[in-house]
Amino acid sequence: MGGLPRPELPPGRHRDLVDALHELHHRAGWPSLRTIARNLGCSPTTVSAVFSRPRLPAWGLLELVVEDLGGDCGEFHALWVAAGSPDRDDTGTQGATPLAGRKDDVRAVRAHFDRGDPGLLLVCGEAGIGKSRLVATVVSTAAPDLTVLRGSCAPLATAAPFLPWVDVLRAAYAVDDGQWLKEALAAEPAYVAGEIVLLLPELDAGPPVPDSWREPEPPSAAGQLSPARLFAAVRTALTGLAALRPLTMVIEDLHWADAATLDLLEHLLRSPVGLGVPVVATYRTDDPATSPSAEDWQLRVRRLPGVAVQRLEPLDLDGTREQLELLTGAPVLPGRAEAIHRRSAGNPLFTEQLAAQSDHEAGTDAAAVPRLLTDLLDQRIRGLDDDAWSVACVLAAGDRPITGAQLSEVAGVPDGDLTAGLRSLDRRRLLSTGPSKEITLSHPLIAESVRRRSLPIELADAQRRLADAMAAWPGVPAAEIAGLWCSVGDPDQEAPWRVRAAQSAASTHAAHLAADHWLRLLEIWPRVRDVERIGARLVSAHLEAIVALEASGRVDQAIELSRQAL
């Protein structure tokens, strides 16, 4: 296969990304869209959009494509971040990147940059909530003379000490071919450069360094890092850099940081001199891979005077609607924002993926989950023990908040096993507790993932036990119980609850809902073995359905149903 069509884009960082991607496709031997799609587990249309649509693709999808083609994900992530930030115009200013529903959050991060306070702002939130996008948006609108040095942490199998600090120093070294960093170090005591060279070997591999950097003795015994000297050297180097030009730091994914990185950051925060520069760090609050020591560190440092926390909450319905309009560039069809928000619960990444599926794969089941999200969600629940899985099945079966006592009634496991299961789910950040201490799974799509991976017999058993129990709970809508019996496939149990649900809807003047319940009752009526239990006669059900259809404006359906009844 030859080259793929390219979108029409003006010169700039977005076109640089597209050109690099097509060049990677060429180096990989021009594999077909179908081949790439098969490897990724998605449709060729979805892959084609990455190469050919003018809209910037989601990073999660682009990353999988780059990996499949054997490219450098780090290089492409940098290109992707740059492409998502607007180019400077002729005046040297930047335009704002549209960001849905985050005005207060943008204002808080921008204020931290603008004030230049040498403190730490932790931007916290769940995976996919938009932490990195928020920071990138603010960086893209920062003052033209502000230099932003970025570092990233990663969940590496082998610890790499000081990884984000090395990134930051390397970013400083890349400015003016290293002159900025060398000038800053030249004004400091000699030991500072000696320690920094241990983190950044290329600093000593370039042009000859000033003699003032040299010391009679090596900076640390046998070339090993001395924490006390290194910590002081990093603080001094940052202060020296900031003295020459406005500077701020961004550290991504601090929840994955190694212990040495966190120790250095905490030391600088606790120092009377402080960090020396403003720092913004993103921190994921629901990642099971986060070590207990990192959690303890985060709780400890957020109490320090130089630390502020900006927690990102899910978008409300208006925010989700705004995000969909920004993604598509057009008004959202009626009901679409509500349907997507109900499933995404306001998580921008989930919203983007669900919207992309409906855009590119219009013929698929509306209740399906995109493959990228399926893999992400399944990873969260993979490896649950039996106790935790039993509890998760019950919570997913009804997908509703229930109390601990109700869960104990339905789960069918001893109290000790129930507690163990809840603790296991909580450790994985899979539980959410409401103000009334009612328990749910942490996200609707997590519940969908549990239902999808459950054996049909175990899910049906959980739904049956839940429906039986809910019949005695106060305030449970009849429609909800009818829906559970529908999922189980038991028309004898479903039919009486359909009658109650239809009557309840009619009493609240919800004629369209009443019509749907009566129509469902008529659909399952032939499969009911004991019609006496239904609580309604067949002719009455037809008449009620016809009245409800007419009241809800569905006159054609009412006429057709009348003919069928006659």
Side-chain angles (χ1 to χ4, degrees):
M1 176 180 178
L4 299 172
R6 302 191 185 204
E8 292 291 334
L9 292 170
R13 290 174 288 190
H14 191 174
R15 196 166 84 176
D16 292 343
L17 170 64
V18 170
D19 290 342
L21 185 61
H22 281 262
E23 175 60 23
L24 175 63
H25 183 241
H26 170 65
R27 294 200 308 268
W30 285 315
S32 68
L33 294 175
R34 189 174 299 278
T35 299
I36 301 173
R38 185 171 58 249
N39 295 339
L40 301 187
C42 61
S43 75
T45 305
T46 299
V47 177
S48 175
V50 176
F51 288 90
S52 307
R53 289 193 62 170
R55 195 171 74 193
L56 191 67
W59 168 244
L61 178 57
L62 178 61
E63 182 181 29
L64 291 179
V65 171
V66 171
E67 286 181 348
D68 186 64
L69 297 177
D72 184 340
C73 289
E75 172 191 345
F76 274 85
H77 186 263
L79 290 169
W80 179 82
V81 170
S85 303
D87 293 315
R88 298 182 189 274
D89 59 25
D90 294 338
T91 65
T93 61
Q94 294 172 313
T97 302
L99 191 65
R102 294 286 184 213
K103 291 183 176 62
D104 291 341
D105 299 312
V106 168
R107 195 175 297 117
V109 178
R110 182 174 291 136
H112 186 75
F113 280 168
D114 292 345
R115 286 195 304 266
D117 295 337
L120 171 67
L121 177 64
L122 276 175
V123 180
C124 299
E126 63 182 87
I129 204 67
K131 301 179 293 297
S132 296
R133 176 71 188 280
L134 169 67
V135 175
T137 297
V138 177
V139 168
S140 73
T141 59
D145 61 341
L146 179 67
T147 300
V148 181
L149 304 180
R150 292 183 177 87
S152 298
C153 307
L156 303 178
T158 303
F162 305 110
L163 184 62
W165 296 102
V166 173
D167 288 345
V168 164
L169 292 170
R170 185 163 286 126
Y173 184 73
V175 177
D176 296 336
D177 295 323
Q179 293 307 306
W180 178 35
L181 180 57
K182 291 180 179 180
E183 184 179 347
L185 294 177
E188 305 299 343
Y191 85 91
V192 176
E195 294 293 328
I196 297 300
V197 165
L198 293 177
L199 291 180
L200 199 65
E202 56 261 45
L203 187 62
D204 201 20
V209 297
D211 291 338
S212 60
W213 289 14
R214 306 299 182 185
E215 291 187 295
E217 300 293 333
S220 301
Q224 297 299 311
L225 294 172
S226 167
R229 289 168 62 93
L230 177 67
F231 291 3
V234 170
R235 182 182 63 245
T236 304
L238 292 175
T239 304
L241 288 168
L244 297 175
R245 63 172 67 192
L247 165 66
T248 191
M249 283 172 49
V250 171
I251 300 179
E252 292 279 4
D253 299 319
L254 197 58
H255 53 282
W256 286 332
D258 61 280
T261 290
L262 297 177
D263 288 346
L264 173 51
L265 184 53
E266 183 174 1
H267 172 80
L268 298 181
L269 289 168
R270 292 183 180 276
S271 167
V273 183
L275 275 167
V277 298
V279 177
V280 174
T282 61
Y283 190 99
R284 188 182 297 175
T285 55
D286 65 343
D287 195 320
T290 302
S291 66
S293 60
E295 288 281 15
D296 293 342
W297 178 91
Q298 183 255 151
L299 293 173
R300 188 170 63 248
V301 301
R302 65 193 302 172
R303 297 194 292 267
L304 297 176
V307 178
V309 176
Q310 188 68 24
R311 183 176 181 85
L312 302 193
E313 301 295 340
L315 298 178
D316 59 15
L317 177 57
D318 288 339
T320 296
R321 182 178 289 106
E322 182 184 357
Q323 181 187 0
L324 292 172
E325 290 174 350
L326 289 172
L327 287 171
T328 61
V332 181
L333 294 175
R336 188 182 186 218
E338 290 81 356
I340 290 181
H341 184 266
R342 186 166 52 250
R343 298 180 70 198
S344 71
N347 184 298
L349 173 63
F350 295 170
T351 296
E352 181 177 337
Q353 289 295 310
L354 292 172
Q357 172 170 280
S358 60
D359 284 347
H360 302 318
E361 303 172 28
T364 61
D365 181 3
V369 179
R371 177 61 182 269
L372 295 175
L373 284 190
T374 298
D375 293 343
L376 175 65
L377 296 165
D378 287 356
Q379 184 179 14
R380 296 281 306 278
I381 63 174
R382 189 173 295 123
L384 286 176
D385 57 53
D386 291 343
D387 294 336
W389 185 256
S390 297
V391 175
C393 275
V394 173
L395 293 173
D399 203 10
R400 73 185 323 271
I402 62 178
T403 66
Q406 292 169 340
L407 183 58
S408 178
E409 174 189 356
V410 177
V413 297
D415 288 345
D417 295 340
L418 176 63
T419 301
L422 287 171
R423 287 188 181 279
S424 179
L425 292 172
D426 188 54
R427 281 194 297 271
R428 291 185 177 226
R429 310 293 196 275
L430 295 175
L431 286 186
S432 177
T433 305
S436 303
K437 305 301 182 184
E438 293 178 320
I439 304 168
T440 60
L441 290 174
S442 58
H443 197 280
L445 289 179
I446 292 290
E448 288 188 28
S449 185
V450 172
R451 290 194 294 270
R452 186 174 58 252
R453 291 182 62 86
S454 297
L455 295 174
I457 190 171
E458 66 179 341
L459 180 59
D461 181 60
Q463 290 170 326
R464 185 176 290 106
R465 285 185 278 116
L466 188 59
D468 279 332
M470 286 167 57
W473 296 350
V476 177
E480 191 173 343
I481 300 176
L484 282 173
W485 287 119
C486 176
S487 298
V488 171
D490 191 331
D492 287 281
Q493 295 287 349
E494 180 187 352
W497 289 105
R498 284 295 170 194
V499 173
R500 298 183 196 182
Q503 293 169 342
S504 176
S507 69
T508 59
H509 306 289
H512 62 293
L513 294 179
D516 290 341
H517 289 305
W518 287 120
L519 291 174
R520 172 62 183 170
L521 175 64
L522 292 174
E523 177 186 344
I524 64 175
W525 193 291
R527 292 184 282 127
V528 176
R529 290 170 297 182
D530 185 3
V531 295
E532 297 298 326
R533 297 185 61 234
I534 295 178
R537 296 169 58 212
L538 181 58
V539 64
S540 300
H542 276 93
L543 291 173
E544 293 286 0
I546 291 168
V547 170
L549 286 168
E550 187 176 10
S552 60
R554 296 148 69 178
V555 178
D556 290 344
Q557 278 186 271
I559 293 174
E560 179 59 28
L561 184 59
S562 300
R563 290 173 178 162
Q564 294 175 9
L566 290 174

